Amino acid sequence: MRRLLLPLLALAALPALASCEKREVTVTDGWVRLSPNPDAPSAAYFTVKGGSEATQLSAVGSEVAIRFEMHETTRENGMMQMKPLASVEIPANSSVKFEPGGKHVMIWNINPGIKPGQRMDMVFTFANGAQIEYPMAVRGAAGAAPAAGEHAGNHSG
Ligand SMILES: [Cu+2]
């Protein structure tokens, strides 16, 4: 009978959650494209689904890497450019995609023990105080579909 206790308690907590009208921001479809070169940055892509109130994604981090930057790839005068983003607006009730060729997170110095096929936890911090830990799927560079021109060779960001 002891084993039943935990699931029952979990069920008892559900109505309390469901009655909360405020919908929080969430993260889905997160994955990391591991750079084949340990000295070059890797990239993280994901979708942020806005909650019932607008907020901002203000930081991304992980215990298994040293440095993170949010970037946006834009095309200006026919040139692909990347600019750093201090924070990213997450409007209420809409999704913001970080994807190849657009917004992305650059990651430097990922722990070499992290391999394609594994998951690495990333923590997303929002301006409203919400913090989400998400297990990012780790893919090798060959297994992904990199956008043309993105992060080929040198990265000046
Ligand atoms: Cu970048």
Side-chain angles (χ1 to χ4, degrees):
M1 283 313 284
R2 238 181 147 189
R3 282 192 168 176
L4 277 173
L5 199 55
L6 258 179
L8 284 176
L9 279 176
L11 278 176
L14 271 178
L17 284 173
S19 69
C20 177
E21 282 195 3
K22 223 174 107 180
R23 210 162 28 77
E24 288 290 347
V25 63
T26 55
V27 173
T28 62
D29 306 321
W31 60 285
V32 170
R33 185 172 69 208
L34 213 54
S35 168
N37 173 359
D39 294 327
S42 297
Y45 307 106
F46 48 89
T47 299
V48 181
K49 289 189 173 165
S52 42
E53 286 170 25
T55 184
Q56 294 165 334
L57 176 59
S58 48
V60 178
S62 172
E63 284 181 358
V64 296
I66 303 291
R67 189 172 137 221
F68 297 79
E69 281 180 17
M70 292 189 280
H71 284 181
E72 180 156 38
T73 304
T74 55
R75 183 179 282 275
E76 278 170 39
N77 304 323
M79 299 266 292
M80 297 293 273
Q81 292 191 334
M82 285 204 302
K83 62 174 187 189
L85 302 168
S87 64
V88 173
E89 257 342 287
I90 310 294
N93 304 313
S94 61
S95 293
V96 176
K97 276 194 171 163
F98 285 67
E99 56 193 348
K103 292 187 182 68
H104 56 278
V105 173
M106 314 281 337
I107 311 174
W108 283 264
N109 303 100
I110 293 182
N111 184 318
I114 303 289
K115 305 287 186 202
Q118 296 180 339
R119 300 239 162 205
M120 67 175 258
D121 284 337
M122 271 181 38
V123 177
F124 298 79
T125 304
F126 295 88
N128 66 3
Q131 250 192 356
I132 296 172
E133 190 174 278
Y134 187 92
M136 307 287 281
V138 178
R139 300 185 195 164
E150 196 197 4
H151 301 313
N154 53 356
H155 179 277
S156 56

